Amino acid sequence: MSQATIPADLAEWLIQQNVRDVELAFADVHGFARGKTLPAKAFIKGQPLRIARAVPIQSCIGEFPDYRFYGEHDPDVTLAPDFATLRQVPWAKTPRASVICDCVDHDGNLTPLAPRSALKAVLARYAALGWTPVVAPELEFYIFAAHGDPQQPFQPPTLRSGRREAGFDSFSFSSLNDLEAYFDDLYRACEMLGIATDTFVHEMGPSQFEINLKHGDALALADQTFLFKTALKEIGNLHGLSVVCMAKPLPGQPGSSMHLHQSVVDQRGDNVFSRADGEASDTFHGFIAGLQRYLPELMPLFCPSPNSYRRFVKGMAAPVNLSWGLDNRSVGLRVPVSGPEGRRVENRLPGCDANPYLSLAASLGAGLLGIEERLRPSEPATGNVFKSERASLPNTLDAACEAMAGGDAAKRLFGAEFSAAYLAVKEVELSHYHSQITPWERQYLGLLA
């Protein structure tokens, strides 16, 4: 832990709530919570806590890239708690708290390997201009019956009628009522964790839902999204349900996205995407142009697994291009209808499997590069571009990593060390993925002479 002293009111709160332990947590590159737990008394006293520097870049299969990507002598980082994020853990039987931490290298700087560091680096560049990004994530996810065998497909839970959903029942209420106990506990958890939720709907897939978070400061929303995705799964476990944030968990059904609404305000709180006369500003057009120019290089940060790319199917409301347009859901970059003060860009590229810190950092970073370079976007699209435009994005993780390695956007935004380490993690995962034999191969290729 850093040398920062816990505020007296928070120490008193921990004592009053009879909190036994405090989880010092951070998101790894996948958005999975990792860290260590301290007795509350030790946390209050400021006991330092360290963890291996490699942990933020642990792969999803549990392996690590080579030592050269995090230090030949396998060094530590210090966990520095952000006391503003200290909350009681909603699903713990014995009172327990959690706090989100930054990972600090021995030189006192944020380690470039941690996703929260990457977002902070981009936000610092905005702050230097006197600007503050405002964001709002929209998260789609599936709720399945308890699922203990990865060799078997996911199944929607059995409903009160005794049947399972078949899908394409979007915006209905019956399934919300069937899962009322789960959602009641989820909303209570959000209140305890300081997560400000907004719209809540049933989506197109069977037992697929969307919950939007209220707009606000980008770092705060990244923290909330990280906690929200953790809460989805933990509350699901309490109810015997498997809550899945995969981009494409079911064949033939819609994928799950994490659309990012983004705007930028100045020190007076005015939206810099709008001019004084209410029209779109050059800054707005530069932001869109930056997304168009650099998102293809940053795809692995929005779509981090081989499964991510199964979501991009024409006609399934997932973007296959980086066109932009007003109130057009067939484009990758949608501008919702709003007044000048609410002018924003909705990046429809990320899946719900994306790390919220990295997806926000990459999206805001790409837009900032476009502003700095005074880029100009294409003409806004009209009509349904699913039917008229060819895919203009990498369609596999292999191709996306090749584009990231061949470009310079990630290095310019997050540094060479993070970029190399992230690609090394993907190389470990892809090597394991490509070594697997799928049911499709056994079913069809096993019959060939």
Side-chain angles (χ1 to χ4, degrees):
M1 205 159 72
S2 73
Q3 299 304 309
T5 302
I6 182 172
D9 60 328
L10 294 181
E12 182 62 27
W13 174 78
L14 289 170
I15 295 169
Q16 289 179 349
Q17 297 298 317
N18 199 29
V19 170
R20 185 185 68 186
D21 306 299
V22 180
E23 298 174 351
L24 280 77
F26 59 91
D28 68 8
V29 290
H30 308 284
F32 186 76
R34 300 194 185 275
K36 291 185 177 182
T37 302
L38 266 180
K41 292 179 180 179
F43 179 77
I44 291 171
K45 291 179 180 179
Q47 178 177 320
L49 197 60
R50 297 180 179 86
I51 199 167
R53 192 173 190 259
V55 174
I57 57 170
Q58 184 174 351
S59 73
C60 70
I61 61 172
E63 297 179 5
F64 293 88
D66 188 80
Y67 280 110
R68 69 181 184 274
F69 295 105
Y70 51 88
E72 292 288 347
H73 56 295
D74 196 9
D76 280 343
V77 290
T78 300
L79 298 181
D82 182 341
F83 293 119
T85 68
L86 183 65
R87 297 287 189 276
Q88 191 163 348
V89 175
W91 44 86
K93 292 183 179 179
T94 300
R96 190 166 76 245
S98 70
V99 65
I100 296 174
C101 295
D102 287 310
C103 297
V104 180
D105 280 330
H106 291 317
D107 63 4
N109 294 317
L110 296 180
T111 180
L113 301 183
R116 202 170 192 253
S117 303
L119 178 55
K120 281 191 165 184
V122 171
L123 296 180
R125 292 173 65 162
Y126 276 94
L129 299 173
W131 292 348
T132 301
V134 177
V135 305
E138 301 176 343
L139 295 103
E140 296 174 339
F141 54 92
Y142 278 85
I143 299 178
F144 294 123
H147 187 262
D149 185 357
Q151 300 302 319
Q152 300 301 318
F154 294 112
Q155 291 273 9
T158 302
L159 304 180
R160 292 171 296 175
S161 64
R163 303 180 65 180
R164 301 179 192 270
E165 272 197 74
F168 295 95
D169 194 24
S170 51
F171 305 104
S172 68
F173 294 102
S174 59
S175 293
L176 303 182
N177 297 330
D178 280 299
L179 296 169
E180 181 179 17
Y182 169 79
F183 284 111
D184 282 350
D185 282 352
L186 177 63
Y187 272 99
R188 278 192 287 268
C190 288
E191 289 178 6
M192 290 180 66
L193 293 170
I195 299 169
T197 57
D198 198 5
T199 311
F200 173 29
V201 300
H202 188 302
E203 272 292 347
M204 294 178 66
S207 204
Q208 185 190 29
F209 302 90
E210 176 183 288
I211 294 181
N212 301 338
L213 304 188
K214 290 185 178 178
H215 67 273
D217 172 81
L219 183 63
L221 264 295
D223 287 340
Q224 289 183 38
T225 306
F226 165 55
L227 294 172
F228 180 74
K229 292 176 72 175
T230 302
L232 285 176
K233 293 180 176 291
E234 291 288 352
I235 301 301
N237 291 338
L238 292 179
H239 288 264
L241 300 167
S242 291
V243 184
V244 174
C245 294
M246 283 175 63
K248 190 77 166 182
L250 295 175
Q253 296 287 351
S256 292
S257 66
M258 184 173 65
H259 297 162
L260 302 175
H261 290 251
Q262 308 153 98
S263 61
V264 181
V265 297
D266 61 21
Q267 293 173 329
R268 296 177 301 180
D270 295 331
N271 190 336
V272 302
F273 287 171
S274 298
R275 301 187 320 215
D277 62 4
E279 295 300 313
S281 65
D282 289 341
T283 300
F284 172 74
H285 290 118
F287 188 92
I288 292 176
L291 296 177
Q292 290 184 315
R293 167 65 181 83
Y294 291 111
L295 291 195
E297 292 184 23
L298 300 169
M299 275 282 282
L301 303 176
F302 302 113
C303 304
S305 81
N307 177 265
S308 305
Y309 299 81
R310 300 186 187 277
R311 178 174 145 254
F312 298 112
V313 178
K314 283 191 175 184
M316 283 285 192
V320 294
N321 60 76
L322 286 176
S323 297
W324 74 282
L326 181 65
D327 198 26
N328 187 334
R329 285 183 170 83
S330 70
V331 299
L333 305 172
R334 174 175 173 259
V335 178
V337 175
S338 71
E341 70 285 349
R343 181 172 277 114
R344 61 193 185 276
V345 181
E346 178 189 5
N347 180 355
R348 298 172 63 82
L349 184 61
C352 196
D353 55 343
N355 179 309
Y357 298 99
L358 295 180
S359 55
L360 280 170
S363 193
L364 293 171
L368 183 61
L369 292 178
I371 294 169
E372 292 174 344
E373 296 169 11
R374 302 181 182 276
L375 300 182
R376 299 294 298 174
S378 63
E379 291 297 315
T382 58
N384 191 334
V385 301
F386 280 139
K387 300 177 181 179
S388 60
E389 291 199 12
R390 297 176 59 188
S392 57
L393 293 164
N395 60 4
T396 65
L397 181 57
D398 301 79
C401 288
E402 184 177 350
M404 182 171 166
D408 65 354
K411 295 175 186 176
R412 292 168 62 191
L413 291 171
F414 315 123
E417 186 175 10
F418 170 84
S419 301
Y422 189 83
L423 289 173
V425 172
K426 297 299 122 180
E427 183 178 356
V428 169
E429 293 170 354
L430 281 169
S431 177
H432 187 269
Y433 172 77
H434 289 309
S435 72
Q436 306 302 303
I437 306 300
T438 66
W440 186 94
E441 292 167 285
R442 288 192 290 270
Q443 180 174 348
Y444 295 105
L445 305 185
L447 299 177
L448 298 179

